């Protein structure tokens, strides 16, 4: 391996280590409550390395959102591919969230948590978060379109509206669980989601 290749790989690994640490801290203790000094210390890096890869906390925040977006949408896509039947998908979605909570892997929606902390601090954050919501809605919309085409639901379904309702039911349940730590809100999320589809169930 050449010296240039080693340097490139080393730089990439430092960047990933910093981003891994920042992602964990931002998610668990909050973006506003996490300082760059803590990220430097816990990632085992030096200030020069951090600012070489992420010149500002804002850029690190955007990278964090992109990382969370990739994981969230990847998890959802995997479930949709595995469970083409919507009712089975809803059940699997709830089970996944409950398992992640019990294993201390899920602490609430990372995007809502981030938005609540930064509010309207920077329009770039707002646009990025809006884009995530649009991708999320589109993924659900495409999935429901396939379900309608396969005969699971009536073709009278307003797929765009229904997709938004699914996201609202999901986020409502997650928010109430986050506020109370009561897992009933996660378990009963399935009922809330199923009710959305009742009027469209193909006879």
């Amino acid at each position: 391996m050449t010296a240039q290749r080693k340097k490139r790989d080393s730089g990439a690994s430092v960047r990933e280590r910093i981003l891994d640490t920042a992602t964990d801290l931002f998610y668990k203790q909050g973006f506003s409550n996490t300082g760059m000094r803590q990220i430097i210390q816990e990632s085992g890096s030096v200030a020069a390395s951090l600012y070489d890869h992420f010149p500002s906390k804002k850029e690190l925040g955007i990278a964090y959102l992109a990382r969370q977006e990739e994981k969230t949408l990847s998890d959802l896509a995997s479930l949709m591919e595995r469970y083409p039947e919507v009712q089975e998908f809803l059940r699997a979605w709830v089970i996944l969230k409950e398992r992640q909570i019990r294993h201390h892997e899920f602490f609430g929606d990372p995007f809502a948590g981030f938005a609540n902390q930064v509010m309207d601090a920077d329009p770039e954050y707002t646009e990025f978060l809006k884009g995530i919501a649009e991708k999320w809605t589109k993924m659900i919309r495409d999935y429901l379109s396939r379900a309608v085409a396969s005969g699971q639901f009536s073709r009278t379904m307003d797929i765009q509206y229904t997709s938004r309702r699914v996201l609202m039911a999901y986020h409502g349940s997650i928010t109430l669980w986050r506020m109370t730590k009561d897992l009933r809100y996660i378990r009963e999320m399935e009922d809330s989601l199923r009710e959305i589809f009742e009027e469209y169930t193909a006879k």
Side-chain angles (χ1 to χ4, degrees), residues 57-114:
K57 189 177 180 182
K58 173 184 172 179
E59 293 189 33
L60 190 52
I62 293 295
Y64 160 74
L65 289 175
R67 169 75 68 84
Q68 292 287 29
E69 174 189 14
E70 180 181 6
K71 182 182 186 309
T72 299
L73 297 186
S74 176
D75 285 348
L76 197 59
S78 294
L79 284 178
M80 289 175 172
E81 183 177 356
R82 184 174 181 183
Y83 300 101
E85 292 290 329
V86 173
Q87 302 300 339
E88 293 180 2
F89 161 74
L90 297 179
R91 181 60 182 154
W93 199 10
V94 171
I95 290 173
L96 174 64
K97 291 295 112 182
E98 186 171 354
R99 184 172 68 245
Q100 289 175 334
I101 289 169
R102 291 188 180 281
H103 292 172
H104 306 289
E105 299 170 352
F106 186 74
F107 301 89
D109 178 68
F111 313 115
F114 190 93

Side-chain angles (χ1 to χ4, degrees), residues 13 22 24 27 29-30 45 52 56 68 73 86 89-90 105 125 132 145 151 156 158 169 174 193 196 200 202:
S13 64
D24 188 59
Y27 185 45
Q29 67 184 34
S45 59
D52 182 48
S56 69
Q68 292 287 29
L73 297 186
V86 173
F89 161 74
L90 297 179
E105 299 170 352
Y125 287 144
I132 292 172
S145 295
T156 62
D158 184 334
I174 295 299
L193 290 168
I196 295 172
Y200 302 113

Side-chain angles (χ1 to χ4, degrees), residues 23-175:
T23 297
D24 188 59
L25 292 173
F26 288 163
Y27 185 45
K28 291 181 179 178
Q29 67 184 34
F31 180 75
S32 299
N33 295 328
T34 303
M36 298 293 263
R37 181 176 297 178
Q38 183 183 7
I39 295 170
I40 291 168
Q41 291 175 340
E42 298 201 16
S43 65
S45 59
V46 296
S49 294
L50 186 149
Y51 288 109
D52 182 48
H53 294 289
F54 304 100
S56 69
K57 189 177 180 182
K58 173 184 172 179
E59 293 189 33
L60 190 52
I62 293 295
Y64 160 74
L65 289 175
R67 169 75 68 84
Q68 292 287 29
E69 174 189 14
E70 180 181 6
K71 182 182 186 309
T72 299
L73 297 186
S74 176
D75 285 348
L76 197 59
S78 294
L79 284 178
M80 289 175 172
E81 183 177 356
R82 184 174 181 183
Y83 300 101
E85 292 290 329
V86 173
Q87 302 300 339
E88 293 180 2
F89 161 74
L90 297 179
R91 181 60 182 154
W93 199 10
V94 171
I95 290 173
L96 174 64
K97 291 295 112 182
E98 186 171 354
R99 184 172 68 245
Q100 289 175 334
I101 289 169
R102 291 188 180 281
H103 292 172
H104 306 289
E105 299 170 352
F106 186 74
F107 301 89
D109 178 68
F111 313 115
F114 190 93
N116 288 337
Q117 292 175 64
V118 301
M119 298 300 287
D120 298 320
D122 191 300
E124 190 171 350
Y125 287 144
T126 302
E127 286 304 307
F128 202 95
L129 289 164
K130 181 180 177 181
I132 292 172
E134 290 172 350
K135 291 176 186 177
W136 209 339
T137 303
K138 181 181 184 303
M139 182 175 288
I140 295 173
R141 185 175 69 240
D142 292 346
Y143 178 71
L144 293 181
S145 295
R146 294 192 295 272
V148 169
S150 69
Q152 294 182 56
F153 301 113
S154 167
R155 293 186 178 275
T156 62
M157 175 187 282
D158 184 334
I159 295 175
Q160 181 70 29
Y161 172 65
T162 304
S163 300
R164 292 196 301 270
R165 288 185 66 192
V166 168
L167 270 187
M168 287 188 288
Y170 169 80
H171 282 288
S173 297
I174 295 299
T175 298

